[in-house]
Amino acid sequence: AEAEKEKMRGNLLRAVSHDIRTPLTAIVGGIDAILENGEKLSPETRTSLLENMRDESNWLIGVVENLLSVTRINNETAKVTKTSEPVEEVLSEAMIRLKKRLPDANIHVRVPEEFLMVPMDAVLIEQVLINLLENAVVHAESTEPIECYVESLSDYAVFHVRDYGVGIPPEKLATIFDGSSSTTSTSPDGRKGMGIGLSICKTIILAHGGEIKAINHTHGAEFYFTLPKEDK
């Protein structure tokens, strides 16, 4: 268990170093361009630089929120303090927080007809949902809506985030949650690596006594995680 914690810590540090350095470099570059060129920049160019700096700053906020999430997990027992929470409210709060960062995200949410209460740290599970949904928005490369829904099984609640995009490269499926730099985006802007977000998702779900998986389906990718219905 101790060796696993050390491995996770090392992976998180590597992921953090990339996810923080890249947007900071872009922000500093944008500021330098505005300061050095001043009145020479067209209004359109200035606006574009400022919008890019805003996007990078929002990305950094997400990284910091992930790091703060880890501090809620007990370092000695790798457990969290759980209270019984209504699943519908947790999903709703996650959507509100996500929409502040990605107002144009197209997400369809479904919950079971039954009123479902599940033991959890609501703040951490909201962060997991935000990470998975943001990952789908950024990496699916699709205009199709993202589905977020919950299944109620006998012993577990299962949370799904399904996109209809390019899918996950098969060689990355086995290591996608380990926080390695191999999960970094290959998009033209060269940023928004998913390593730290998915690594922290795994840490949070394991601390809840659940499991998290990533699979490809016929038309895209799906992430899902389980939470026990009874506190263990």
Side-chain angles (χ1 to χ4, degrees):
E2 192 63 34
E4 184 65 25
K5 284 168 63 178
E6 285 300 320
K7 179 183 176 183
M8 181 69 72
R9 188 177 294 114
N11 286 337
L12 286 175
L13 285 173
R14 283 190 291 274
V16 168
S17 66
H18 177 275
D19 277 6
I20 289 181
R21 184 189 304 116
T22 305
L24 279 176
T25 300
I27 292 169
V28 172
I31 292 171
D32 286 343
I34 293 173
L35 289 175
E36 292 172 6
N37 295 290
E39 300 302 321
K40 297 178 183 177
L41 295 175
S42 68
E44 293 79 11
T45 300
R46 185 186 294 268
T47 298
S48 177
L49 285 169
L50 290 171
E51 287 177 344
N52 184 59
M53 289 157 59
R54 179 195 59 199
D55 291 345
E56 298 289 358
S57 298
N58 280 330
W59 184 256
L60 277 176
I61 289 171
V63 173
V64 172
E65 287 176 348
N66 276 319
L67 292 175
L68 290 175
S69 293
V70 174
T71 66
R72 296 174 67 92
I73 300 175
N74 188 302
N75 285 331
E76 297 300 322
T77 63
K79 298 293 183 183
V80 293
T81 302
K82 295 187 272 188
T83 56
S84 191
E85 300 284 352
V87 165
E88 189 170 353
E89 289 186 12
V90 172
L91 280 171
S92 176
E93 185 61 31
M95 293 304 122
I96 291 170
R97 290 173 58 192
L98 179 73
K99 285 288 188 177
K100 289 180 180 177
R101 197 180 304 164
L102 298 171
D104 297 327
N106 187 3
I107 300 166
H108 291 179
V109 179
R110 302 197 313 272
V111 294
E113 291 186 6
E114 66 177 282
F115 183 69
L116 183 59
M117 300 284 288
V118 176
M120 67 176 83
D121 181 318
V123 173
L124 291 182
I125 297 305
E126 288 164 17
Q127 190 62 42
V128 171
L129 289 165
I130 290 168
N131 284 348
L132 296 180
L133 288 165
E134 188 168 3
N135 175 66
V137 170
V138 172
H139 295 281
E141 300 178 20
S142 171
T143 57
E144 293 294 315
I146 294 162
E147 295 181 0
C148 179
Y149 62 98
V150 181
E151 286 182 290
S152 179
L153 304 182
S154 57
D155 296 325
Y156 293 90
V158 188
F159 295 70
H160 301 259
V161 173
R162 170 181 280 237
D163 67 56
Y164 293 86
V166 297
I168 303 165
E171 69 274 11
K172 292 185 178 180
L173 281 172
T175 59
I176 199 164
F177 294 105
D178 69 4
S180 69
S181 59
S182 64
T183 57
T184 300
S185 169
T186 55
S187 59
D189 62 9
R191 65 180 181 89
K192 291 185 172 65
M194 17 178 204
I196 182 174
L198 295 181
S199 180
I200 287 174
C201 287
K202 179 179 178 180
T203 301
I204 291 171
I205 298 305
L206 291 180
H208 277 78
E211 294 182 327
I212 186 166
K213 302 287 184 182
I215 60 172
N216 283 319
H217 59 89
T218 308
H219 301 292
E222 179 176 329
F223 290 82
Y224 65 91
F225 62 89
T226 64
L227 293 179
K229 285 185 174 181
E230 299 295 330
D231 199 356
K232 298 178 180 180

mmCIF file of all heavy atoms in Angstrom, residues 52-74:
data_model
loop_
_atom_site.group_PDB
_atom_site.id
_atom_site.type_symbol
_atom_site.label_atom_id
_atom_site.label_comp_id
_atom_site.label_asym_id
_atom_site.label_seq_id
_atom_site.Cartn_x
_atom_site.Cartn_y
_atom_site.Cartn_z
ATOM 1 N N ASN A 52 -7.294 33.923 -24.836
ATOM 2 C CA ASN A 52 -6.435 32.760 -24.618
ATOM 3 C C ASN A 52 -5.898 32.734 -23.188
ATOM 4 O O ASN A 52 -5.865 31.678 -22.537
ATOM 5 C CB ASN A 52 -5.277 32.775 -25.611
ATOM 6 C CG ASN A 52 -4.411 31.529 -25.493
ATOM 7 O OD1 ASN A 52 -4.884 30.420 -25.657
ATOM 8 N ND2 ASN A 52 -3.122 31.723 -25.215
ATOM 9 N N MET A 53 -5.506 33.907 -22.678
ATOM 10 C CA MET A 53 -5.006 33.994 -21.305
ATOM 11 C C MET A 53 -6.102 33.640 -20.298
ATOM 12 O O MET A 53 -5.855 32.983 -19.288
ATOM 13 C CB MET A 53 -4.455 35.391 -21.040
ATOM 14 C CG MET A 53 -3.133 35.664 -21.784
ATOM 15 S SD MET A 53 -2.806 37.430 -22.037
ATOM 16 C CE MET A 53 -2.784 38.034 -20.366
ATOM 17 N N ARG A 54 -7.346 34.061 -20.598
ATOM 18 C CA ARG A 54 -8.468 33.701 -19.725
ATOM 19 C C ARG A 54 -8.687 32.187 -19.719
ATOM 20 O O ARG A 54 -8.878 31.577 -18.658
ATOM 21 C CB ARG A 54 -9.742 34.403 -20.196
ATOM 22 C CG ARG A 54 -10.993 34.069 -19.361
ATOM 23 C CD ARG A 54 -12.249 34.485 -20.088
ATOM 24 N NE ARG A 54 -12.356 33.812 -21.382
ATOM 25 C CZ ARG A 54 -13.140 34.243 -22.367
ATOM 26 N NH1 ARG A 54 -13.842 35.344 -22.236
ATOM 27 N NH2 ARG A 54 -13.201 33.567 -23.513
ATOM 28 N N ASP A 55 -8.646 31.561 -20.905
ATOM 29 C CA ASP A 55 -8.845 30.111 -20.994
ATOM 30 C C ASP A 55 -7.759 29.359 -20.229
ATOM 31 O O ASP A 55 -8.040 28.377 -19.530
ATOM 32 C CB ASP A 55 -8.855 29.668 -22.459
ATOM 33 C CG ASP A 55 -10.077 30.164 -23.215
ATOM 34 O OD1 ASP A 55 -11.049 30.590 -22.557
ATOM 35 O OD2 ASP A 55 -10.042 30.148 -24.460
ATOM 36 N N GLU A 56 -6.523 29.818 -20.382
ATOM 37 C CA GLU A 56 -5.422 29.148 -19.689
ATOM 38 C C GLU A 56 -5.559 29.318 -18.175
ATOM 39 O O GLU A 56 -5.257 28.395 -17.405
ATOM 40 C CB GLU A 56 -4.076 29.714 -20.162
ATOM 41 C CG GLU A 56 -3.770 29.508 -21.640
ATOM 42 C CD GLU A 56 -3.468 28.060 -21.985
ATOM 43 O OE1 GLU A 56 -3.450 27.217 -21.070
ATOM 44 O OE2 GLU A 56 -3.246 27.771 -23.178
ATOM 45 N N SER A 57 -6.020 30.505 -17.744
ATOM 46 C CA SER A 57 -6.208 30.749 -16.310
ATOM 47 C C SER A 57 -7.298 29.846 -15.751
ATOM 48 O O SER A 57 -7.170 29.303 -14.640
ATOM 49 C CB SER A 57 -6.567 32.217 -16.067
ATOM 50 O OG SER A 57 -5.514 33.071 -16.486
ATOM 51 N N ASN A 58 -8.390 29.666 -16.502
ATOM 52 C CA ASN A 58 -9.451 28.765 -16.060
ATOM 53 C C ASN A 58 -8.943 27.333 -15.946
ATOM 54 O O ASN A 58 -9.334 26.582 -15.048
ATOM 55 C CB ASN A 58 -10.637 28.823 -17.035
ATOM 56 C CG ASN A 58 -11.520 30.021 -16.793
ATOM 57 O OD1 ASN A 58 -11.641 30.494 -15.666
ATOM 58 N ND2 ASN A 58 -12.145 30.527 -17.847
ATOM 59 N N TRP A 59 -8.063 26.950 -16.887
ATOM 60 C CA TRP A 59 -7.484 25.611 -16.814
ATOM 61 C C TRP A 59 -6.653 25.452 -15.544
ATOM 62 O O TRP A 59 -6.719 24.424 -14.857
ATOM 63 C CB TRP A 59 -6.635 25.351 -18.052
ATOM 64 C CG TRP A 59 -6.071 23.962 -18.094
ATOM 65 C CD1 TRP A 59 -4.795 23.574 -17.836
ATOM 66 C CD2 TRP A 59 -6.804 22.760 -18.377
ATOM 67 N NE1 TRP A 59 -4.682 22.204 -17.950
ATOM 68 C CE2 TRP A 59 -5.893 21.691 -18.287
ATOM 69 C CE3 TRP A 59 -8.128 22.504 -18.713
ATOM 70 C CZ2 TRP A 59 -6.267 20.367 -18.510
ATOM 71 C CZ3 TRP A 59 -8.502 21.186 -18.938
ATOM 72 C CH2 TRP A 59 -7.578 20.138 -18.833
ATOM 73 N N LEU A 60 -5.894 26.477 -15.191
ATOM 74 C CA LEU A 60 -5.095 26.433 -13.967
ATOM 75 C C LEU A 60 -5.981 26.329 -12.726
ATOM 76 O O LEU A 60 -5.637 25.635 -11.768
ATOM 77 C CB LEU A 60 -4.220 27.690 -13.861
ATOM 78 C CG LEU A 60 -2.903 27.670 -14.632
ATOM 79 C CD1 LEU A 60 -2.205 29.019 -14.499
ATOM 80 C CD2 LEU A 60 -1.991 26.560 -14.122
ATOM 81 N N ILE A 61 -7.117 27.012 -12.744
ATOM 82 C CA ILE A 61 -8.056 26.908 -11.626
ATOM 83 C C ILE A 61 -8.474 25.451 -11.438
ATOM 84 O O ILE A 61 -8.556 24.943 -10.323
ATOM 85 C CB ILE A 61 -9.280 27.810 -11.860
ATOM 86 C CG1 ILE A 61 -8.878 29.291 -11.729
ATOM 87 C CG2 ILE A 61 -10.401 27.485 -10.874
ATOM 88 C CD1 ILE A 61 -9.965 30.251 -12.154
ATOM 89 N N GLY A 62 -8.730 24.763 -12.558
ATOM 90 C CA GLY A 62 -9.096 23.355 -12.480
ATOM 91 C C GLY A 62 -8.002 22.512 -11.866
ATOM 92 O O GLY A 62 -8.263 21.597 -11.071
ATOM 93 N N VAL A 63 -6.746 22.784 -12.236
ATOM 94 C CA VAL A 63 -5.622 22.031 -11.674
ATOM 95 C C VAL A 63 -5.543 22.240 -10.163
ATOM 96 O O VAL A 63 -5.365 21.289 -9.390
ATOM 97 C CB VAL A 63 -4.301 22.471 -12.343
ATOM 98 C CG1 VAL A 63 -3.103 21.832 -11.643
ATOM 99 C CG2 VAL A 63 -4.305 22.103 -13.822
ATOM 100 N N VAL A 64 -5.696 23.494 -9.736
ATOM 101 C CA VAL A 64 -5.631 23.795 -8.297
ATOM 102 C C VAL A 64 -6.784 23.122 -7.555
ATOM 103 O O VAL A 64 -6.600 22.584 -6.458
ATOM 104 C CB VAL A 64 -5.645 25.326 -8.073
ATOM 105 C CG1 VAL A 64 -5.777 25.647 -6.587
ATOM 106 C CG2 VAL A 64 -4.380 25.949 -8.634
ATOM 107 N N GLU A 65 -7.980 23.126 -8.134
ATOM 108 C CA GLU A 65 -9.118 22.454 -7.500
ATOM 109 C C GLU A 65 -8.841 20.961 -7.332
ATOM 110 O O GLU A 65 -9.217 20.354 -6.323
ATOM 111 C CB GLU A 65 -10.390 22.675 -8.323
ATOM 112 C CG GLU A 65 -10.930 24.094 -8.202
ATOM 113 C CD GLU A 65 -12.127 24.331 -9.088
ATOM 114 O OE1 GLU A 65 -12.409 23.487 -9.969
ATOM 115 O OE2 GLU A 65 -12.798 25.359 -8.911
ATOM 116 N N ASN A 66 -8.182 20.358 -8.319
ATOM 117 C CA ASN A 66 -7.821 18.950 -8.205
ATOM 118 C C ASN A 66 -6.847 18.715 -7.064
ATOM 119 O O ASN A 66 -6.981 17.754 -6.293
ATOM 120 C CB ASN A 66 -7.207 18.452 -9.517
ATOM 121 C CG ASN A 66 -8.260 18.036 -10.521
ATOM 122 O OD1 ASN A 66 -9.250 17.420 -10.166
ATOM 123 N ND2 ASN A 66 -8.055 18.382 -11.769
ATOM 124 N N LEU A 67 -5.858 19.585 -6.950
ATOM 125 C CA LEU A 67 -4.876 19.429 -5.879
ATOM 126 C C LEU A 67 -5.530 19.602 -4.516
ATOM 127 O O LEU A 67 -5.220 18.870 -3.562
ATOM 128 C CB LEU A 67 -3.744 20.445 -6.055
ATOM 129 C CG LEU A 67 -2.845 20.228 -7.274
ATOM 130 C CD1 LEU A 67 -1.850 21.369 -7.403
ATOM 131 C CD2 LEU A 67 -2.112 18.895 -7.175
ATOM 132 N N LEU A 68 -6.445 20.561 -4.401
ATOM 133 C CA LEU A 68 -7.149 20.759 -3.140
ATOM 134 C C LEU A 68 -8.005 19.543 -2.803
ATOM 135 O O LEU A 68 -8.171 19.197 -1.628
ATOM 136 C CB LEU A 68 -8.021 22.015 -3.216
ATOM 137 C CG LEU A 68 -7.272 23.349 -3.263
ATOM 138 C CD1 LEU A 68 -8.251 24.501 -3.473
ATOM 139 C CD2 LEU A 68 -6.471 23.570 -1.984
ATOM 140 N N SER A 69 -8.538 18.887 -3.831
ATOM 141 C CA SER A 69 -9.354 17.697 -3.601
ATOM 142 C C SER A 69 -8.553 16.608 -2.892
ATOM 143 O O SER A 69 -9.060 15.923 -1.997
ATOM 144 C CB SER A 69 -9.896 17.149 -4.927
ATOM 145 O OG SER A 69 -10.817 18.040 -5.508
ATOM 146 N N VAL A 70 -7.299 16.448 -3.285
ATOM 147 C CA VAL A 70 -6.469 15.395 -2.693
ATOM 148 C C VAL A 70 -6.284 15.614 -1.196
ATOM 149 O O VAL A 70 -6.195 14.658 -0.420
ATOM 150 C CB VAL A 70 -5.105 15.334 -3.406
ATOM 151 C CG1 VAL A 70 -4.174 14.349 -2.718
ATOM 152 C CG2 VAL A 70 -5.292 14.923 -4.850
ATOM 153 N N THR A 71 -6.256 16.881 -0.765
ATOM 154 C CA THR A 71 -6.031 17.156 0.656
ATOM 155 C C THR A 71 -7.216 16.720 1.517
ATOM 156 O O THR A 71 -7.083 16.635 2.740
ATOM 157 C CB THR A 71 -5.765 18.662 0.894
ATOM 158 O OG1 THR A 71 -6.956 19.413 0.593
ATOM 159 C CG2 THR A 71 -4.624 19.152 0.019
ATOM 160 N N ARG A 72 -8.365 16.439 0.904
ATOM 161 C CA ARG A 72 -9.527 15.974 1.663
ATOM 162 C C ARG A 72 -9.457 14.481 1.973
ATOM 163 O O ARG A 72 -10.287 13.961 2.715
ATOM 164 C CB ARG A 72 -10.824 16.284 0.900
ATOM 165 C CG ARG A 72 -11.097 17.761 0.718
ATOM 166 C CD ARG A 72 -12.320 17.986 -0.168
ATOM 167 N NE ARG A 72 -13.557 17.525 0.463
ATOM 168 C CZ ARG A 72 -14.346 18.283 1.207
ATOM 169 N NH1 ARG A 72 -14.014 19.541 1.453
ATOM 170 N NH2 ARG A 72 -15.467 17.799 1.707
ATOM 171 N N ILE A 73 -8.497 13.796 1.376
ATOM 172 C CA ILE A 73 -8.356 12.355 1.601
ATOM 173 C C ILE A 73 -7.369 12.124 2.737
ATOM 174 O O ILE A 73 -6.263 12.671 2.741
ATOM 175 C CB ILE A 73 -7.878 11.644 0.325
ATOM 176 C CG1 ILE A 73 -8.893 11.870 -0.802
ATOM 177 C CG2 ILE A 73 -7.659 10.159 0.573
ATOM 178 C CD1 ILE A 73 -8.450 11.319 -2.141
ATOM 179 N N ASN A 74 -7.749 11.315 3.713
ATOM 180 C CA ASN A 74 -6.902 11.039 4.862
ATOM 181 C C ASN A 74 -5.617 10.342 4.419
ATOM 182 O O ASN A 74 -5.656 9.265 3.828
ATOM 183 C CB ASN A 74 -7.670 10.155 5.864
ATOM 184 C CG ASN A 74 -6.925 9.978 7.169
ATOM 185 O OD1 ASN A 74 -5.789 9.502 7.188
ATOM 186 N ND2 ASN A 74 -7.555 10.369 8.261
#
